[in-house]
Amino acid sequence: MESQLDAIRRSFDQELGQARNTEHLEKLRIKYLGRKGRLTSLLRQMGKLEPRERPRIGKISNELKVYIDSRLQAAGAILSEDKKTSAGLDVTLPGRAFRRGSIHIINQVLAEIEDMFVDLGFSVVNGPEVEDDYHNFEALNIPPYHPARDMQATFYFSESTLLRTHTSPVQIRIMENSQLPIRVIAPGKVYRSDSDVSHTPMFHQVEGLWVESGINFSHLKGVLEAFVHTIFGPDVPLRFRPSYFPFTEPSAEVDIGCFICGGKGCRVCGNTGWLEILGCGMVDPAVYEYVGIKDESVTGFAFGLGVERVAMLKYAVDDIRLFFDNDLRFLKQFS
Ligand code: DAH
């Protein structure tokens, strides 16, 4: 019986050396330790042994049982460890893709607008988002009773400090602090207490200002035509419609041909065939007085456009709030 036990151990060792996965190990366990397994069957014959032999053989068999059991466990642990590392690597599995960030559509449009004006020789300048009443309103010739000062539209910190409601105060700051000629754009965030499909409390504007002796309305037209044709395409028509702003005289609003109906008139353009995209005009002489430009040969134009508005028209987005909801399904369309 002792030699039989020895043979079991040797054949187990040999078979274990060939096991390649956990199913093989399980088969081995059944083959040697199972109810009808080789070791179990042998142990059943213990009764046939002479009584004085039983304790010794019993001990050897038990040791063999423990041995087989522990070798199987150790092999199982090694195999499952291998699975996690190189030996178990499934090279056919698709790789895990990195999630790439992308530039927000508003910043993309902003960059496109900036590049276009930089190509025309404009420099990019910035101004503060927390403004004072003087730069946001007064120096822009917006008198105290003007509706733009309405508490409902402006976020105030105090009577004299507020979140800028437009980028036009940067015009004042630049004219106060620069030598002529001035040819700048001022992009940035602006704030108004307003929220619906076409308004959000924060949005972006790009202000433009060209001040220099001899600048006239045709320069304004040329620059804004270049803007529309670069951003919306060379065939998009535009028109200048007389308007009013306290800081420009004369003032105009620029419309582009409705991209939905092609000018025939539809719901989006309110049956006019035109969509408003910006405000502009020749700098009002009253503004030059505020900033201390006294040379009467100096003239200039200014314009202000809404970046979200441009993006909405360019990509046919019908709710401005989509830009700021941070819904990746929407934003990814522009990445
Ligand atoms: N600041 C105006 C607004 O927010 C837009 C504007 C109109 C800016 C005419 C200008 C301009 O520079 O000349 O509604």
Side-chain angles (χ1 to χ4, degrees), residues 140 165-169 171 190 192 203 205-208 245 247-248 251-252 278-283 301-305:
L140 286 163
T165 56
H166 51 179
T167 42
S168 301
Q171 286 187 36
V190 301
R192 288 180 204 176
F203 60 104
Q205 287 188 333
V206 175
E207 194 78 13
F245 298 101
F247 38 92
T248 44
S251 302
L278 60 84
C280 62
M282 302 305 295
V283 177
F301 67 76
F303 59 86
L305 59 93

Side-chain angles (χ1 to χ4, degrees), residues 40-316:
T40 322
S41 314
L42 191 67
L43 290 180
R44 284 214 188 92
Q45 296 165 28
M46 289 275 278
K48 293 179 193 161
L49 289 172
E50 285 188 35
R52 61 184 171 82
E53 279 278 34
R54 276 182 213 155
R56 199 173 58 85
I57 299 295
K59 188 167 173 253
I60 297 175
S61 345
N62 252 328
E63 277 167 6
L64 181 57
K65 195 174 162 191
V66 170
Y67 170 79
I68 291 178
D69 200 49
S70 66
R71 289 289 311 263
L72 284 173
Q73 274 188 34
I78 288 167
L79 278 179
S80 68
E81 194 51 41
D82 273 1
K83 213 175 211 168
K84 289 182 217 150
T85 56
S86 59
L89 181 69
D90 184 348
V91 292
T92 64
L93 279 177
R96 242 177 257 158
F98 278 102
R99 292 231 269 158
R100 281 251 228 106
S102 59
I103 296 174
H104 191 282
I105 180 58
I106 293 302
N107 283 333
Q108 289 182 42
V109 171
L110 196 52
E112 210 181 314
I113 296 172
E114 282 181 22
D115 286 351
M116 183 262 137
F117 282 109
V118 166
D119 285 350
L120 287 185
F122 285 75
S123 341
V124 181
V125 297
N126 290 298
E129 289 172 29
V130 176
E131 256 301 0
D132 51 47
D133 182 278
Y134 179 79
H135 290 91
N136 196 78
F137 293 129
E138 198 174 329
L140 286 163
N141 200 29
I142 302 176
Y145 49 80
H146 194 280
R149 288 185 172 218
D150 194 323
M151 283 292 292
Q152 288 188 344
T154 308
F155 288 113
Y156 283 95
F157 294 105
S158 69
E159 213 168 299
S160 56
T161 314
L162 44 86
L163 283 172
R164 68 179 179 192
T165 56
H166 51 179
T167 42
S168 301
V170 188
Q171 286 187 36
I172 302 300
R173 292 184 176 275
I174 291 297
M175 285 191 276
E176 281 173 343
N177 297 316
S178 325
Q179 303 291 326
L180 298 179
I182 292 169
R183 196 194 299 150
V184 295
I185 56 165
K189 291 180 163 66
V190 301
Y191 302 86
R192 288 180 204 176
S193 181
D194 222 347
S195 183
D196 58 42
V197 286
S198 51
H199 299 89
T200 44
M202 184 285 295
F203 60 104
H204 297 78
Q205 287 188 333
V206 175
E207 194 78 13
L209 180 69
W210 187 339
V211 177
E212 185 175 347
S213 168
I215 293 295
N216 60 46
F217 205 97
S218 37
H219 296 107
L220 170 60
K221 271 191 89 172
V223 165
L224 291 181
E225 261 169 31
F227 161 71
V228 167
H229 290 151
T230 307
I231 301 297
F232 294 100
D235 302 323
V236 174
L238 69 158
R239 71 174 183 185
F240 286 73
R241 181 166 39 77
S243 185
Y244 172 78
F245 298 101
F247 38 92
T248 44
E249 182 59 36
S251 302
E253 279 170 295
V254 172
D255 300 334
I256 58 169
C258 179
F259 60 93
I260 301 277
C261 61
K264 289 194 195 76
C266 68
R267 197 178 57 86
V268 174
C269 58
N271 284 317
T272 61
W274 295 97
L275 297 161
E276 181 202 323
I277 56 158
L278 60 84
C280 62
M282 302 305 295
V283 177
D284 194 303
V287 173
Y288 292 131
E289 272 181 42
Y290 279 106
V291 297
I293 293 178
K294 298 202 169 68
D295 182 347
E296 291 211 346
S297 76
V298 171
T299 52
F301 67 76
F303 59 86
L305 59 93
V307 181
E308 283 77 6
R309 175 109 184 126
V310 170
M312 286 171 83
L313 296 178
K314 198 169 153 80
Y315 297 105

